[in-house]
Amino acid sequence: WSEGQVTEYLVATFGDYFTDVKMYVEERSFRRFVEACLEETVVVYVDHLLTQRNYIKEETIERMRLDEDVLMDFFREYISVSKVENRVRILSDLRELASAESLDAFTLIYSNILEHQPDCP
């Protein structure tokens, strides 16, 4: 993961799959399908991040930022930018939380997550 061999391969696989699926469903259903794939990707990403890391290094934070970019760039080709940003926001919030430099900043970011991402584990 830290070497970029998970998220990039995931979106490449999604790209191939979406090309096939798009031929058989109408556009509106396809967009809802893409949204569901993005939502599930973010849920699994957050779940793995929270359960696999006892500590977060600077490299982890950078990989998180790169993954956000990869997901944003890929999914905005299929659905609106605002929908992608709303779904991916929790990733940037968690990255900011992990890199908070003070207790006050940590508390503020954590409160923001609880307020705007009530379904976040």
Side-chain angles (χ1 to χ4, degrees):
W1 171 77
S2 63
E3 296 172 8
Q5 296 183 355
V6 174
T7 306
E8 285 81 352
Y9 287 113
L10 175 68
V11 296
T13 302
F14 271 144
D16 291 343
Y17 188 58
F18 290 170
T19 299
D20 294 340
V21 169
K22 193 172 187 173
M23 292 188 300
Y24 299 104
V25 297
E26 53 185 54
E27 185 65 27
R28 187 170 161 236
S29 296
F30 176 72
R31 283 193 312 271
R32 284 198 318 257
F33 172 70
V34 171
E35 286 178 46
C37 289
L38 174 58
E39 185 170 337
E40 185 64 20
T41 299
V42 169
V43 167
V44 170
Y45 188 102
V46 169
D47 185 52
H48 280 80
L49 185 66
L50 294 176
T51 59
Q52 297 296 321
R53 294 284 172 192
N54 293 329
Y55 59 92
I56 295 180
K57 301 183 283 188
E58 192 63 37
E59 298 84 32
T60 306
I61 292 169
E62 178 60 18
R63 183 70 248 166
M64 292 168 70
R65 187 191 64 72
L66 292 170
D67 286 349
E68 288 171 48
D69 291 344
V70 168
L71 292 171
M72 286 288 296
D73 290 345
F74 175 77
F75 279 98
R76 76 171 126 209
E77 292 182 29
Y78 296 96
I79 55 179
S80 72
V81 172
S82 63
K83 287 184 180 185
V84 177
E85 287 174 346
N86 287 336
R87 297 274 194 250
V88 175
R89 181 174 295 126
I90 186 59
L91 300 182
S92 62
D93 288 346
L94 286 174
R95 181 175 44 80
E96 288 179 19
L97 184 69
S99 60
E101 294 185 7
S102 70
L103 182 58
D104 288 340
F106 183 91
T107 303
L108 180 63
I109 297 164
Y110 188 73
S111 297
N112 186 43
I113 289 172
L114 292 176
E115 181 179 338
H116 294 104
Q117 306 288 339
D119 59 340
C120 180

